[in-house]
Amino acid sequence: MDYKEFENSIVDYLSENLSTEKNKEFEGFLKANPEFQKEFNLTKSFWNESLEEVPTPSSKMDMDFYSMLKAEEEKANQVSMITKIQNFFSLKLVKQFAYTLAILTIGFFVGNWFNTSDNLSEEKIEVAQKETQDVRSQLVLTLLDQPSANKRLQAVNEVNKLNKVTKIIIKALFSTLNKDENVNVRLSALEALKKYTEIPLVREGLISSIANQTSPLVQMELADLMVVLQEKKAVKSFEKLIDKEDVNTSAKQKMKESIQSII
Amino acid sequence: MLKVKEGEIHKLGLLYERYKKRLFGFFYQMNKNASLSEDLVQNVFIRVLKYKHTFHDKSKFITWIFQIARNEIYDEFKKAKKENHNDLETVSYFLSSDKNIEGDLEENENKINLKKAIAKLSPEKKELIVLSKLKELKYREVGEIVGCTEGAARTKVHRALNDLKQIYLTLENA
């Protein structure tokens, strides 16, 4: 190291910018050449005293800083809450769920609307149903007048499909029960009338029809029905039949048993 | 600092404790006003939070924070200039009648002259001396802070100290 290098290195040495190697070289040069010590000391004093002593910062600075930090933290927390909510809504799954929910809600209202329109047309349906019933009643009456026993059976079956029976239908059924030449048709008419025994007219009709019956099958069926109904008025009619000579003995026996059961 | 950047703002307290004295010292040397320096330290940390996203893990924190501090003090100079049109006159008035300087008559003349010399030194040069006196900062970091190469920073520091010497000598001979 020569003087020039030494001179140039003083500041670097003082500002600790020399490598360890250079540092040692510098110190060695200074020791070997004490005549440069004065110059070094002068620069050193400049270096060391070039800056004033710094007072200690007041506690106000700390207080200000920490209150600022606290405020910033609170602000950041608020912001992160908002971002959390945003993230929540931007999630794919949640989006899908929301859409599903929206569609469901729309579906619910649309369905509700259609429902109310259904209510509006309920009267129409009632009218339509009444019309169907009327047509069916007409069909029953027409079919009962048919010469074919098969058609007449079909007519009685149609009666079973009716929700409400009218007087006309009941009358038609009784006329079938009393006058039809086919036993099967009469039996099925009796089956149909069984459903309406709560109507007093039907009960009376049934009792009066006992006397008109010639077929033992129908007589026996009626006897069973009267037992079920516990119809005491029927006893007389049965007794009249029993007294008749041309009545089947099995039927007579059955009717006697029925009379016993009713009494 | 990286943790602060990631959102752990409370960690800024640690950085504050570590750097508050050095920053305060830097500001105080530059403006000789303790309460203003305290405000500037506060401003530096507000800026740290505001610009935390610009900090990269490769950069050295001390370099970064002193760059902020430097911007802060230059903004402050500008503000002071705007507010006070008689800036130069006031400064020279303050310099010649500085209470501290006058009150320190008992101090030896050399020291007074040195203080005067420093007060006369331009802020840019003063800043270089203050920064290079910080043990953590080598020429490379000083260069990074003031925006020049390591070599240029070295030259500038040398020049600043030489200027200081020159001013001092002029004062001494006067």
Side-chain angles (χ1 to χ4, degrees), chain A residues 8 12 16-17 43 46-52 54-55 58 61-62 64-66 72-73 76, chain B residues 9-10 16-17 20 24 28-29 32 38 42 49 111 114 118 132-133 138-139 154 158 165 168:
Chain A
N8 282 334
D12 304 338
E16 295 177 20
N17 267 297
T43 317
F46 259 104
W47 182 257
N48 286 345
E49 294 180 26
S50 61
L51 299 176
E52 278 183 51
V54 178
S58 70
M61 183 169 94
D62 289 348
D64 286 351
F65 170 77
Y66 283 106
E72 284 294 327
E73 262 185 289
Chain B
I9 291 175
H10 60 276
Y16 170 77
E17 290 301 334
K20 66 176 181 185
F24 177 79
Y28 184 79
Q29 296 292 1
K32 301 282 180 279
E38 285 179 5
Q42 172 91 345
L49 280 183
K111 275 197 173 179
L114 187 57
I118 292 160
S132 56
K133 277 193 87 176
K138 305 289 171 225
Y139 288 145
R154 180 175 180 263
H158 279 241
K165 268 188 198 169
Y168 174 79

Side-chain angles (χ1 to χ4, degrees), chain A residues 51, chain B residues 26-27 29-31 70 73-74 76-78 81 87-88 91 95 117-131 146 156 160 163 167:
Chain A
L51 299 176
Chain B
F26 171 70
F27 289 132
Q29 296 292 1
M30 298 298 286
N31 60 27
R70 198 168 165 259
I73 205 150
Y74 278 94
E76 186 54 40
F77 280 149
K78 275 184 212 160
K81 260 187 190 171
D87 197 39
L88 279 173
V91 168
L95 287 176
I118 292 160
K120 284 199 167 186
L121 202 65
S122 75
E124 289 84 5
K125 282 173 182 162
K126 207 195 286 180
E127 168 191 77
L128 279 161
I129 295 176
V130 178
L131 289 174
V146 301
K156 279 182 178 180
D163 281 7
I167 297 167

Side-chain angles (χ1 to χ4, degrees), chain B residues 80-95:
Chain B
K81 260 187 190 171
K82 259 189 190 175
E83 279 170 12
N84 199 344
H85 296 288
N86 305 322
D87 197 39
L88 279 173
E89 283 168 34
T90 324
V91 168
S92 54
Y93 170 77
F94 268 119
L95 287 176

